[in-house]
Amino acid sequence: AGSQIQGTAGIPRRSKRRKSVAIVYEPGQGDGAEPQRPRWEPRDWREQLERIREMRRSRDAPVDEMGVQKCYDSSAPPQVKRYQVLLALMLSSQTKDQVTSAAMLRLRQRGLTVDSVLQMDDETLGQIIYPVGFWRNKVKYIKQTTAILKQKYGGDIPSTVEELVQLPGVGPKMAHLAMHIAWDSVAGIAVDTHVHRISNRLKWVKKETKHPEETRVALEDWLPRDLWKEINWLLVGFGQQTCLPVNPRCSQCLNQDICPAAKKL
């Protein structure tokens, strides 16, 4: 590659002996080639998923009524909506949906935009968002991120996961949800503590994972891409109502007979 064609003069004489060329087969082609192994997928996962859909049919979990997708002003300009989505995600970390929703409502009553937040002093912002989890840190992250959005993105939010996770206080789960909700783009699976816990209980990961980011990689390896957006919403609500962190309600779960964790709990 990159060689140039030259005239015959000056070209050294080539050996007339032909070099043998190794033939490389695609998997599953050619004599003796190993057949392609089927991709790993969890046992009973399709039935488990269908039953979770059934349990989530009423859409009455906290995430349905007060989740981030309900926290922004739907009548605001698109750029403002996207900013409000990102802010709601930042507030939601280690915070119940009810608390995040209330904080967002208080912020929106003051006209929640990039400029209004930049003009607000830290003490006022802290009073408005309290009692969200780690509110002091979030005041700092919100002010830093908002300043970056103003300077670098013209007041909008980035449209890639790679840029979103560079913002102070924005992790991978938030970035993927921001892509889903703000940009209507599926770049990956948003994995929070509920998705992480339930994926391990159902054995939807090949081997046990310790952190949500490991779970995301493991799920994306086998779960069909057309389910990536739905899976967060399904499992978060399921985790809030049935598959609780402590004392899960296995007796009320339609998956009781095919859940690997049900017998142990």
Side-chain angles (χ1 to χ4, degrees):
S3 60
Q4 295 179 336
I5 299 173
Q6 302 174 7
T8 53
I11 298 178
R13 292 183 65 184
R14 297 173 185 261
S15 166
K16 290 184 179 178
R17 205 173 74 194
R18 290 186 66 184
K19 291 181 180 176
S20 61
V21 179
I23 298 171
V24 180
Y25 290 103
E26 290 295 317
Q29 293 180 346
D31 293 331
E34 285 187 24
Q36 202 166 10
R37 290 182 182 178
R39 176 178 282 193
W40 178 87
E41 59 179 45
R43 184 180 172 184
D44 299 325
W45 76 269
R46 290 185 187 277
E47 192 169 359
Q48 290 165 341
L49 179 66
E50 205 48 57
R51 292 180 185 185
I52 292 170
R53 283 187 179 131
E54 176 62 27
M55 288 183 278
R56 293 282 287 115
R57 204 162 47 133
S58 57
R59 295 173 176 258
D60 55 0
V63 70
D64 302 307
E65 296 167 357
M66 288 168 281
V68 168
Q69 77 283 358
K70 299 280 190 179
C71 286
Y72 64 86
D73 179 3
S74 58
S75 65
Q79 189 167 307
V80 174
K81 280 194 279 194
R82 289 191 286 267
Y83 174 64
Q84 291 184 1
V85 167
L86 184 63
L87 227 60
L89 286 165
M90 293 175 74
L91 293 175
S92 71
S93 174
Q94 299 190 12
T95 302
K96 289 187 181 296
D97 288 329
Q98 298 91 322
V99 178
T100 301
S101 177
M104 281 296 293
L105 190 59
R106 292 192 295 272
L107 282 168
R108 283 171 50 194
Q109 285 169 346
R110 290 173 168 255
L112 180 52
T113 65
V114 165
D115 289 333
S116 71
V117 169
L118 288 176
Q119 289 162 13
M120 205 180 289
D121 62 69
D122 289 8
E123 187 179 351
T124 303
L125 181 57
Q127 287 171 351
I128 295 171
I129 69 170
Y130 180 85
V132 299
F134 302 98
W135 62 273
R136 288 186 180 86
N137 284 339
K138 288 177 184 177
V139 166
K140 181 176 68 177
Y141 293 144
I142 286 169
K143 293 301 282 288
Q144 289 173 347
T145 285
T146 305
I148 292 168
L149 298 180
K150 175 81 170 177
Q151 293 159 10
K152 191 173 177 182
Y153 297 98
D156 209 337
I157 72 169
S159 58
T160 67
V161 169
E162 292 73 22
E163 290 173 292
L164 283 162
V165 295
Q166 296 300 315
L167 297 169
V170 178
K173 178 208 75 173
M174 297 180 211
H176 286 293
L177 278 175
M179 293 298 295
H180 293 184
I181 301 167
W183 292 110
D184 194 25
S185 172
V186 181
I189 300 171
V191 177
D192 71 343
T193 55
H194 294 291
V195 179
H196 172 63
R197 176 179 74 255
I198 295 164
S199 296
N200 276 277
R201 283 181 177 172
L202 291 173
K203 300 282 190 241
W204 282 8
V205 288
K206 206 170 185 178
K207 58 181 183 178
E208 186 182 356
T209 53
K210 300 292 184 189
H211 307 288
E213 191 58 9
E214 289 177 65
T215 304
R216 179 186 67 78
V217 173
L219 285 174
E220 288 177 7
D221 190 51
W222 67 267
L223 189 70
R225 197 180 179 93
D226 61 346
L227 299 174
W228 286 12
K229 188 172 183 177
E230 179 191 21
I231 210 71
N232 176 270
W233 166 79
L234 272 178
L235 295 190
V236 170
F238 179 54
Q240 289 175 334
Q241 294 182 306
T242 307
C243 199
L244 306 174
V246 181
N247 299 323
R249 297 166 179 160
C250 295
S251 62
Q252 300 172 20
C253 181
L254 299 180
N255 277 324
Q256 189 183 9
D257 61 326
I258 53 171
C259 173
K263 296 184 181 72
K264 302 174 192 173
L265 296 166

